[in-house]
Amino acid sequence: MILWFEKEAYLDVLTSTFINRNSYATFVGLGVLTVLALILRYLRRLLTNGSEARSQLRDFLETVMSSGWPLVVVLLLCFLALLLTESRMGLVAVLAGVTVLLLGW
């Protein structure tokens, strides 16, 4: 069911309120990229303070465990939703977007 309508296609995959699984894969892929950008913002903030690598790693993990854990949970949920769409090109597009994001970072 899509809301109160019967699904006519892609009966065995996750499509949310979209009819096409590829459209939903694109939508959830944008969510993955957004959350990853927010996590990288936390990481950049910690890397610019000039301390040694060991304390930077400790500070990053401490930040993730205290106030940044919702971002990690959302990232995992969005990536799981992407996998449940079974859209091959949606996954390739997200991986390409992650690569460009990491290269630009």
Side-chain angles (χ1 to χ4, degrees):
M1 302 282 295
I2 299 175
L3 297 176
W4 52 87
F5 301 106
E6 285 289 326
K7 278 178 90 170
E8 297 177 5
Y10 305 112
L11 300 175
D12 56 344
V13 296
L14 180 64
T15 59
S16 182
T17 56
F18 294 88
I19 295 173
N20 189 343
R21 67 180 178 174
N22 297 319
S23 300
Y24 182 63
T26 302
F27 182 74
V28 78
L30 291 173
V32 168
L33 292 174
T34 302
V35 172
L36 186 60
L38 290 172
I39 290 172
L40 289 175
R41 186 182 74 172
Y42 273 124
L43 185 60
R44 178 171 295 224
R45 190 178 304 159
L46 292 173
L47 289 177
T48 58
N49 67 6
S51 60
E52 64 183 46
R54 191 173 186 176
S55 66
Q56 288 176 345
L57 178 63
R58 180 182 42 109
D59 291 342
F60 177 70
L61 290 176
E62 190 174 294
T63 302
V64 167
M65 294 301 171
S66 63
S67 62
W69 66 268
L71 291 176
V72 175
V73 170
V74 170
L75 179 67
L76 292 175
L77 287 176
C78 284
F79 193 73
L80 178 65
L82 176 67
L83 293 178
L84 289 175
T85 64
E86 296 180 8
S87 173
R88 295 178 304 268
M89 286 311 294
L91 182 62
V92 169
V94 169
L95 293 178
V98 167
T99 302
V100 170
L101 178 68
L102 291 176
L103 287 175
W105 184 68

